[in-house]
Amino acid sequence: INAEYMGITNTITSKMDPASPPSSTEPIPAPSRESSNVDEMEIRLRQLISNKQFFEAHQMYKVLNARFIKKNQFTEAQRLLVSGVLMMLSSHSAETPLLASASELCSLLFAVFLQANVALDQNVLAAITRIHDSFPPAASAEKHTFLTSALKWTQNAKSGGVPEGHPLVHNLLAQCCIGLQKHGQAQVHFLRGNQPELFAQVLTGWARRGYESEQDLFISRAILRYLCLGNLKDANTCFRRFCDVLPLDTPLINFTRFLLLAVERDAYPLFVTLTTRYQPSLQRDPQFQDLLHKVAHVFFHIAPPAAGILEQLGLA
């Protein structure tokens, strides 16, 4: 690392205030003396990047992050790393590939989140979204890695964590998986997200590209999986939107419509009648029986048989 780089880091870090750790609930802090120091660092780091001294800039981010952490200045570390990721992504090109640098800084960022017990709040979600939006279109694999790490952190965050992962990150992962042609994974993330209308739009596109005789299977599978998660609201929204765009009149569609009514009305006898009467249609997909057992357990408190396909689908 050249003398200029060493001089920058020494000058800046000599100004750091080794005060007590800031609140972990504010990953993007309000203006303060410490944040003005970060402002100065960012200016000098931009100079390095403007001069195409990417290696020096990357090393400087890592050194400064380590020094911030050593002084328990986690808020400054977070801000610095977010800025670094965004600058690396904005400077990435075929001639200067910087995705690996950005990805390493992302890993450091999530490590700081965990070490500082950062709360899962709108500030953090805004930072995750901004980083996601900054990835170049061709970097789907790197974006998927970033979002997978983000999802894992939202599951493990000590304050505000969501055991299933935050819906916003699931939304982003669903669309990322579509770009990677990972349609099975995309469905799992749509089901854990909160965009049933968009999911319905995607399902209609898939159904239209499939066999006409199997179009109803796309929506019925999705509705059963929503119900397995206890999400009647999004199941209804997804079903209505799908049928508005792609109206179908088949026994399986009728079964799905009546099933939603039976669940909404807590009508277990109707549920039993439907699963008996529409058995020929339900036999079209071997997953349906296991899914229906789970639906009966979730909404009618009927003990399910031993777990099978549900575990494989992440719905058990």
Side-chain angles (χ1 to χ4, degrees), residues 72-257:
N72 288 335
Q73 293 177 308
F74 296 115
T75 301
E76 288 75 18
Q78 294 164 49
R79 178 176 169 183
L80 182 78
L81 290 171
V82 170
S83 174
V85 172
L86 294 174
M87 280 200 278
M88 289 295 181
L89 290 176
S90 66
S91 302
H92 169 80
S93 67
E95 294 74 24
T96 56
L98 299 173
L99 292 178
S101 292
S103 296
E104 184 177 0
L105 296 182
C106 286
S107 297
L108 293 175
L109 177 63
F110 289 121
V112 172
F113 282 173
L114 285 173
Q115 186 171 350
N117 293 330
V118 171
L120 175 55
D121 61 14
Q122 291 304 313
N123 287 327
V124 176
L125 292 174
I128 290 173
T129 302
R130 189 177 177 192
I131 291 173
H132 164 272
D133 294 344
S134 298
F135 274 93
S140 295
E142 291 82 1
K143 185 189 297 184
H144 185 271
T145 299
F146 164 72
L147 290 173
T148 301
S149 297
L151 183 67
K152 183 177 180 181
W153 175 76
T154 66
Q155 294 172 316
N156 297 322
K158 292 186 177 181
S159 177
V162 183
E164 300 81 16
H166 196 280
L168 181 144
V169 183
H170 279 296
N171 294 339
L172 298 176
L173 265 169
Q175 297 180 60
C176 182
C177 287
I178 290 175
L180 292 170
Q181 301 297 309
K182 297 180 178 181
H183 295 162
Q185 291 185 29
Q187 291 188 66
V188 171
H189 292 301
F190 270 122
L191 291 166
R192 295 289 187 180
N194 55 11
Q195 294 181 318
E197 291 191 353
L198 179 59
F199 189 24
Q201 179 181 336
V202 170
L203 288 169
T204 56
W206 290 343
R208 282 171 168 159
R209 291 195 294 272
Y211 294 109
E212 185 175 352
S213 62
E214 296 181 354
Q215 288 180 338
D216 53 359
L217 289 171
F218 287 88
I219 185 61
S220 293
R221 289 176 184 136
I223 298 310
L224 284 173
R225 291 171 183 171
Y226 265 131
L227 294 178
C228 285
L229 297 173
N231 192 345
L232 176 60
K233 178 178 177 293
D234 285 354
N236 273 311
T237 301
C238 185
F239 184 73
R240 285 195 300 268
R241 179 61 177 164
F242 182 95
C243 293
D244 287 344
V245 176
L246 186 61
L248 301 173
D249 184 13
T250 69
L252 187 58
I253 289 292
N254 291 335
F255 167 80
T256 305
R257 181 179 291 110

